[in-house]
């Protein structure tokens, strides 16, 4: 950076991780190292391709201003990923207390008599960021630990211990499940036997009731016959 520069600008390259059909942004930092108010304006050779916010402003003494440059979604990639777009940051010292609405295009011309500092920025396309590698199984919280193998093919003691604990827990749970299944099977068998016994007792009870009903009918018939004989005998006499 030259000592004549009014604003220190970082970075000096606008690096975009290029991806088709996707808006991409990068940021600039404008640092005012002077004790003066500084007005700035950002220009580009492709104004329809980029959006700059803010594209003009005031940087207070010993202060920093952030600028966001957004590249619109592109349908095609440039040949060899080379970009010829350029940006120009112009800055001038203005009167104390100046505000954004005080900035005019004439302030950045040589005819105005102002000392106009200009810094050119080039645009660079970079490959898009690579997605993070998948998390190995067992590394997430709550999953069963897996023993890792060292370079010489042997399990480390910590991994071996973890694997042993996991195996014992698995065996314990399996044993509990087997015991539960066995107990439920026995209860089911007992319930079936009790049901069968109740059915047998019910059938026996029904037979007894039928017998009692049958005996009552027979006695009634006998009594009727005897009454008939007696009445017949009385009538004859």
């Amino acid at each position: 950076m030259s000592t004549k520069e009014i604003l220190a600008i970082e970075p000096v390259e606008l690096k975009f991780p290029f991806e088709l059909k996707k808006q991409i942004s990068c940021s600039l930092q404008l640092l005012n190292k002077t004790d003066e108010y500084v007005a700035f304006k950002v220009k580009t050779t492709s104004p329809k391709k980029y959006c700059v916010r803010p594209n003009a402003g005031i940087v207070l003494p010993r202060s920093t201003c952030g600028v966001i440059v957004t590249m619109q979604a592109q349908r095609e990639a440039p040949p060899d990923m080379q970009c010829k777009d350029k940006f120009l940051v112009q800055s001038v010292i203005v009167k104390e207390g100046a505000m954004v609405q005080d900035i005019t295009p004439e302030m950045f011309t040589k005819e105005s008599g102002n000392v106009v500092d200009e810094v050119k920025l080039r645009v660079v396309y970079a490959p898009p960021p690579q997605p993070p590698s998948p998390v190995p199984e067992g590394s997430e919280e709550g999953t069963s630990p897996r023993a890792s193998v060292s370079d010489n093919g042997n399990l480390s003691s910590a991994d071996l211990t973890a694997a042993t604990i996991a195996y014992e827990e698995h065996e314990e749970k399996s044993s509990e499940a087997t015991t539960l299944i066995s107990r439920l099977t026995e209860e089911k068998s007992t319930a079936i036997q009790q049901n069968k016994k109740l059915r047998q007792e019910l059938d026996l009870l029904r037979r007894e009731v039928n017998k009692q009903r049958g005996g009552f009918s027979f006695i009634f018939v006998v009594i009727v016959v005897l009454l008939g004989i007696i009445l017949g005998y009385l009538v004859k006499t």
Side-chain angles (χ1 to χ4, degrees):
M1 182 185 71
S2 171
T3 56
K4 295 182 180 180
E5 290 180 352
I6 298 175
L7 291 179
I9 302 174
E10 291 292 339
V12 293
E13 286 184 343
L14 292 174
K15 186 174 292 186
F16 294 92
F18 188 86
E19 293 185 60
L20 290 175
K21 301 179 181 180
K22 183 177 179 181
Q23 281 191 349
I24 309 166
S25 299
C26 66
S27 61
L28 291 173
Q29 292 294 323
L30 311 182
L31 173 61
N32 180 4
K33 292 185 177 182
T34 72
D35 295 322
E36 307 288 343
Y37 279 64
V38 176
F40 72 89
K41 185 176 183 63
V42 182
K43 297 181 179 180
T44 178
T45 56
S46 302
K48 294 183 179 180
K49 186 176 178 180
Y50 300 94
C51 177
V52 183
R53 292 292 182 272
N55 63 348
I58 301 290
V59 186
L60 301 180
R62 307 294 176 179
S63 300
T64 302
C65 178
V67 176
I68 302 298
V69 181
T70 301
M71 182 177 67
Q72 305 301 320
Q74 301 297 302
R75 296 183 179 181
E76 296 180 356
D80 301 326
M81 293 294 289
Q82 299 297 317
C83 182
K84 297 180 180 180
D85 300 333
K86 298 289 189 298
F87 279 80
L88 178 67
V89 180
Q90 296 177 308
S91 57
V92 295
I93 295 176
V94 293
K95 64 181 180 179
E96 183 178 352
M99 303 180 69
V100 177
Q101 53 265 35
D102 298 327
I103 299 176
T104 61
E106 292 75 18
M107 295 171 58
F108 301 95
T109 61
K110 295 181 180 180
E111 290 76 9
S112 64
N114 294 329
V115 177
V116 181
D117 182 43
E118 295 183 344
V119 178
K120 295 181 180 180
L121 308 176
R122 60 190 295 261
V123 177
V124 176
Y125 291 156
Q130 296 298 322
S133 58
V135 179
E137 288 188 35
S139 62
E140 295 183 0
E141 183 178 357
T143 59
S144 299
R146 292 175 178 262
S148 60
V149 182
S150 60
D151 294 338
N152 58 7
N154 296 325
L155 294 174
S156 65
S157 58
D159 292 335
L160 183 59
T161 301
T164 302
I165 293 174
Y167 177 79
E168 290 176 352
E169 290 178 352
H170 174 74
E171 288 295 318
E172 182 179 353
K173 291 181 181 179
S174 178
S175 177
E176 292 176 355
T178 302
T179 302
L180 178 60
I181 293 173
S182 178
R183 181 167 60 82
L184 292 176
T185 303
E186 291 177 358
E187 292 178 356
K188 180 181 178 182
S189 178
T190 302
I192 293 174
Q193 292 178 359
Q194 291 179 351
N195 187 33
K196 184 177 180 181
K197 184 177 180 181
L198 289 174
R199 286 181 178 274
Q200 292 176 351
E201 293 178 354
L202 181 60
D203 290 339
L204 182 60
L205 181 61
R206 287 178 179 174
R207 290 176 185 176
E208 291 294 332
V209 172
N210 290 335
K211 285 181 180 181
Q212 292 178 2
R213 288 180 179 177
F216 174 77
S217 299
F218 178 75
I219 294 172
F220 180 79
V221 171
V222 171
I223 293 173
V224 171
V225 172
L226 289 175
L227 288 174
I229 294 174
I230 293 171
L231 289 174
Y233 178 78
L234 292 175
V235 170
K236 289 180 181 181
T237 58

